[in-house]
Amino acid sequence: MDQMSRNIGIQLKKIRKERSLSLDDVAKATDVSKAQLAQIEKGEANPTVSTLWKIAAGLKISFSSLLQPPKTFFQKYSVDPSTYVSEENGKYRVYSIIPYNPERGWEFYKIEMDPGVIHKSEPHTEGVEETVTVIEGQAVVQCGNMKECLEEGETLVFSANQPHQYENPTDKVTILHLIIQYR
C-alpha cells in the first residue's frame, strides 16, 4: 500500500487507542465494518473518501486528522554553538535545545555561566516550573526566600512565579540544563 494508506491506518489506530475503543466500538460509531477498519489500521486497505468521512464523523474528528503523517517519536536535537542569547556582558549564555511545543508544554535549554556570574530572572506566570540540573561546575539557585547550592549531577525543581537567580560561585564555567514547564 502507499504511504497515505499507512498514515491513515496509523492515525486511526492511535485515535482508537487514545480513546480506549475496540474495533467493535469504532465499527458501531462509524458504520464501517470491523474487518474493513482492521484492514485500514494495518495499512492493507485504501479507504474511499466516503469511508474516511464516515470514520471522521463517527469519531467526531476532522477528516484531515486521519491524513496526517504520524509524529516522530525519535528526534535528535543538538546545540548550535553559534546560536545563543546572552546577558551579563556575554557571561551568561542560553542555548535553546528543544523549543517550546504546546503539546509537550515545556522547553529545554543549555546555559553556560562564566565564573562569578549572577543572573537574576523576573517571575514567570503562575504555574511555571523550572527544573535545573548542574552538568558541570556548581550553581547557587535562589528563589524567593530559598537558596540551594547544587553540585554536578544535582537537580532542583522550583516554582518560578517569583524572582529567582542563578549564580556560578566557582572560578570555572558552569553548565546547566534547564527545563521550563508551563502548566
Side-chain angles (χ1 to χ4, degrees), residues 18 22 26 29 34 36-37 41 47 65 72-73 86 93 95 97 105-106 116 119 139 143 149 157 160 162 172 181:
E18 285 173 351
S22 67
V26 176
K34 179 180 171 180
Q36 187 175 10
L37 290 168
E41 281 191 2
S65 66
T72 304
F73 293 104
S86 66
R93 296 168 298 282
Y95 303 83
I97 298 176
W106 54 267
H119 173 74
C143 185
C149 182
V157 179
Q162 53 193 327
K172 296 179 182 171
Q181 173 81 44

Side-chain angles (χ1 to χ4, degrees), residues 64-118:
S64 63
S65 66
L66 290 169
L67 307 178
Q68 300 302 310
K71 293 190 177 163
T72 304
F73 293 104
F74 191 79
Q75 188 167 357
K76 180 180 176 181
Y77 294 90
S78 59
V79 175
D80 179 350
S82 65
T83 308
Y84 61 89
V85 293
S86 66
E87 288 193 4
E88 318 307 339
N89 298 316
K91 296 178 179 182
Y92 180 88
R93 296 168 298 282
V94 179
Y95 303 83
S96 176
I97 298 176
I98 302 175
Y100 177 75
N101 175 321
E103 290 181 16
R104 273 195 301 269
W106 54 267
E107 53 197 347
F108 181 53
Y109 297 96
K110 174 185 173 186
I111 298 172
E112 294 177 347
M113 298 175 65
D114 288 348
V117 167
I118 298 174

